[in-house]
Amino acid sequence: MPITRREFLKNSGLLGVALTAASMRAFIRPAPKFRPTLNTDSLARFVDPLPIPSIARAIGHRKTPTGAEVPFYRVEMRACESRLHRDLNPTQMWGYGSTFPGPTFETKSGEGILVEWINALPNAHVFPIDHKLHGAERNLPEVRTVVHVHGAKTPPDSDGYPESWYPSGKSALAWYPNRQDAAMLWYHDHAMGINRLNIYAGLAGLFIVRDDAEAALNLPSGKFEIPLVLCDRLLDRDHQLYYPDSGIPGAPWIPEVYGNVILANGKIFPYLDVEPRMYRVRVLNAANSRFFSLSLGSGGSFHQIGTDLGLLPAPVELKSLLLYPAERADLIFDFSGHAGERIELKHQAMEVMQFRVADEPAKETGVMPARMRPVAKLAESAAVTTRMLTLVEYDDYVGNSMVMLLNGSHWSDPVTEQPILDSVEIWNLINLTEDAHPIHLHLVRFQILDRRPFDVFAYQQNRTIRYLGPATPPDPNEAGWKDTVRADPGLVTRIIARFEGFAGRYVWHCHLLEHEDNEMMRPYEVVTSASERVAAITAQEASWCIGGNIVRR
């Protein structure tokens, strides 16, 4: 997949935090405010071992809404300190269970759990809040949280609806039935208007579902299965997290944020001692805005065996992996034949971590199955509805990004997507922007059908799709179940989903967190029958931003 010039500029250097869309336009608006930042060149490489997040432990059993007795967990969100590198002072963060990443949930398909999420955070936020954003008004508590288990098939009242937040001193009980295939999910904050700030502070962790079909494959497990949470953060010279400000009084929001360090499980430049054998490495991109283009410094290949929501039909050999925010990849690294070597995992030219392969031979090297798990294709003929949904960024008259919208609609506009429970729909994501957007649908898993270039100008003029070339099927390593899809600029990205599990109100949104917090999120509602749909709901007419004011065209 080609990288656009804008993406290259944003990702070509870690100090590119200063090259957000806002700051590239500094000659026409105030430059973002930046404190002096840490010089990462001075940091020693590979002196800290890679931390492995702890496993969440149940404290008892409780009854679910169905009456079943299931394990019960209690997790507190607290301010904490984390030493991100041997040579740095402790960094003030927020964490689930007082750690970043939070404890990993190990669950089994069909065996549900209950979790009480407790907000024990301070009353004042550590980052500047933009009170002009929807859901972040000045009259609301500064610190609000609600937890979303990303990729989970949950009832709506446990899904982490953005407006179901609770302040410090309060808690919420969530039920996760886990009626889904084995996959690595993740949990994170989802509070309206400040989601980007809460996650940046450290509110994220892993949630793994296992099943018998996966276990039968004898994939690397135990100490040979490595969870890897990747994100970037900006550190100042005092080694503290820094979230930049737009420089506009009363409106600190910026379109994207990029850090000067990459964290792997909360460490900068860690290393992992491995044996000369196969390892299963399960990677999550938990960054606010940055994509990761991962490769091995040795130039060697690796295999991807799974996507966001489960195993692929067969392993796919790769030299590099492109992973957008919220996407996950299930990988096999084979270190057999590399005894005694030091192999770096890189994002483009930047070091992420190092694998230190032992000299001693391993007791067994492992065998990768030729086939993983069948992925039954959803037939396009089964779709009862095809939706045309635009991704749009509106600028003011001098080109400053003001707001991002899905299908020309604001969060508070009437719901326009109301799929019927157990029905199949095709969603056409029409990207009119210069960015690639990772689009996430709550509740459902979907498959990518294809991507096709179209004439953006023609669509903006008369709302007519004029294709400029043939449709391209998803890459082989995308040919599995997904919950987040990369919608590239100037392309129509088609996905197909069965809306199964539960009826109720959910959301779909861009997972560039700064975009999500500034209107690039919409509610949708799964209904049990066509009669439940609100009559005569149509998409809002697209709008332009002229002279700093949003107007209907």
Side-chain angles (χ1 to χ4, degrees):
M1 195 281 295
I3 303 297
T4 66
R5 178 179 178 274
R6 181 172 178 177
E7 289 170 325
F8 174 78
L9 288 173
K10 290 189 298 186
N11 286 272
S12 58
L14 281 172
L15 291 180
V17 65
L19 297 178
T20 62
S23 61
M24 285 189 287
R25 299 168 179 145
F27 66 100
I28 53 175
R29 72 180 299 170
K33 297 178 182 177
F34 290 100
R35 294 201 295 263
T37 55
L38 176 70
N39 177 12
T40 58
D41 291 337
S42 64
L43 291 179
R45 267 55 173 170
F46 318 127
V47 294
D48 291 297
L50 178 76
I52 302 299
S54 63
I55 302 299
R57 302 298 179 190
I59 61 172
H61 287 74
R62 287 195 181 180
K63 287 187 177 181
T64 70
T66 64
E69 290 270 352
V70 300
F72 169 68
Y73 299 76
R74 181 177 285 121
V75 178
E76 289 190 348
M77 300 164 241
R78 287 191 174 276
C80 57
E81 288 187 344
S82 184
R83 191 177 290 275
L84 307 182
H85 186 277
R86 182 196 66 185
D87 300 329
L88 299 183
N89 298 322
T91 300
Q92 302 297 317
M93 301 187 75
W94 289 354
Y96 295 106
S98 300
T99 63
F100 173 75
T104 298
F105 287 86
E106 284 269 2
T107 68
K108 189 169 183 181
S109 178
E111 298 180 4
I113 66 171
L114 286 166
V115 183
E116 182 183 9
W117 301 103
I118 302 169
N119 184 346
L121 294 165
N123 290 316
H125 214 292
V126 291
F127 301 128
I129 296 174
D130 191 327
H131 296 294
K132 295 182 181 298
L133 299 183
H134 68 276
E137 290 78 15
R138 195 175 296 276
N139 63 321
L140 300 177
E142 278 196 18
V143 177
R144 297 166 284 113
T145 61
V146 63
V147 180
H148 169 56
V149 177
H150 183 120
K153 186 190 296 185
T154 66
D157 58 359
S158 295
D159 185 60
Y161 196 71
E163 293 179 329
S164 297
W165 50 262
Y166 41 96
S168 184
K170 301 295 184 180
S171 68
L173 186 66
W175 173 42
Y176 304 109
N178 297 325
R179 294 198 288 264
Q180 56 193 107
D181 292 343
M184 189 179 80
L185 320 180
W186 65 299
Y187 61 97
H188 59 78
D189 184 76
H190 216 266
M192 178 74 78
I194 57 171
N195 171 52
R196 71 198 186 285
L197 306 178
N198 290 352
I199 294 178
Y200 194 85
L203 294 182
L206 296 175
F207 190 107
I208 297 175
V209 181
R210 302 194 184 277
D211 64 18
D212 293 338
E214 176 194 55
L217 294 171
N218 293 317
L219 296 168
S221 61
K223 67 178 182 179
F224 307 117
E225 180 183 16
I226 307 301
L228 188 59
V229 178
L230 300 181
C231 63
D232 63 336
R233 294 292 185 265
L234 183 62
L235 295 183
D236 65 18
R237 290 181 184 173
D238 294 325
H239 313 157
Q240 301 306 308
L241 290 180
Y242 175 51
Y243 191 95
D245 186 314
S246 69
I248 301 174
W253 175 84
I254 58 174
E256 290 101 20
V257 62
Y258 300 92
N260 57 350
V261 296
I262 293 175
L263 300 180
N265 289 355
K267 286 289 184 182
I268 305 169
F269 308 132
Y271 68 87
L272 179 68
D273 289 320
V274 298
E275 298 178 19
R277 55 154 294 152
M278 287 185 180
Y279 278 73
R280 185 181 186 184
V281 180
R282 311 188 72 169
V283 187
L284 159 68
N285 182 345
N288 279 40
S289 304
R290 184 182 297 279
F291 71 74
F292 288 107
S293 180
L294 301 175
S295 62
L296 295 175
S298 62
S301 63
F302 51 93
H303 289 81
Q304 183 169 346
I305 62 170
T307 51
D308 300 336
L309 286 179
L311 295 169
L312 288 163
V316 177
E317 186 173 3
L318 300 171
K319 285 282 191 178
S320 64
L321 170 70
L322 186 65
L323 211 60
Y324 266 72
E327 288 189 301
R328 284 91 70 208
D330 200 344
L331 306 177
I332 296 289
F333 290 162
D334 189 356
F335 299 113
S336 60
H338 296 277
E341 294 184 21
R342 302 291 185 264
I343 301 174
E344 293 179 11
L345 179 67
K346 293 190 170 186
H347 161 57
Q348 297 176 335
M350 308 165 207
E351 306 106 322
V352 175
M353 63 171 292
Q354 183 188 72
F355 297 103
R356 296 181 177 177
V357 189
D359 291 318
E360 301 79 11
K363 293 181 180 178
E364 58 179 60
T365 58
V367 177
M368 184 163 54
R371 307 296 301 174
M372 303 305 298
R373 188 171 196 165
V375 177
K377 294 296 184 183
L378 292 176
E380 292 189 44
S381 59
V384 297
T385 301
T386 296
R387 302 185 187 273
M388 309 297 287
L389 303 164
T390 57
L391 317 179
V392 190
E393 178 177 341
Y394 298 108
D395 295 345
D396 64 16
Y397 67 95
V398 289
N400 298 318
S401 179
M402 298 289 290
V403 69
M404 290 86 167
L405 298 182
L406 298 174
N407 214 32
S409 299
H410 293 265
W411 168 261
S412 57
D413 288 335
V415 174
T416 51
E417 289 73 55
Q418 292 183 303
I420 297 174
L421 185 65
D422 293 324
S423 69
V424 176
E425 294 194 357
I426 293 173
W427 288 22
N428 292 267
L429 305 174
I430 306 166
N431 191 347
L432 301 170
T433 79
E434 297 179 356
D435 273 326
H437 298 273
I439 300 299
H440 172 47
L441 277 64
H442 286 215
L443 176 67
V444 298
R445 61 182 185 175
F446 56 77
Q447 295 168 1
I448 304 171
L449 291 174
D450 51 47
R451 298 179 176 93
R452 192 172 184 183
F454 73 103
D455 188 330
V456 173
F457 181 77
Y459 186 87
Q460 290 172 331
Q461 292 299 303
N462 54 32
R463 296 197 182 195
T464 299
I465 295 287
R466 185 168 73 85
Y467 289 112
L468 301 177
T472 302
D475 293 334
N477 66 317
E478 293 182 303
W481 291 110
K482 297 278 289 172
D483 58 43
T484 305
V485 61
R486 186 193 74 247
D488 289 327
L491 300 184
V492 176
T493 301
R494 294 198 309 148
I495 61 174
I496 185 169
R498 185 182 301 278
F499 289 81
E500 59 186 0
F502 301 93
R505 184 69 62 89
Y506 295 90
V507 299
W508 66 289
H509 58 86
C510 176
H511 223 285
L512 300 180
L513 299 182
E514 283 66 35
H515 296 190
E516 173 187 344
D517 269 350
N518 194 5
E519 296 285 353
M520 207 167 192
M521 177 166 61
R522 285 284 293 150
Y524 81 89
E525 189 162 13
V526 180
V527 297
T528 56
S529 67
S531 63
E532 286 191 47
R533 288 174 167 160
V534 177
I537 283 184
T538 58
Q540 297 293 307
E541 184 181 16
S543 55
W544 296 100
C545 192
I546 301 173
N549 297 311
I550 298 292
V551 297
R552 299 294 181 189
R553 66 173 180 175

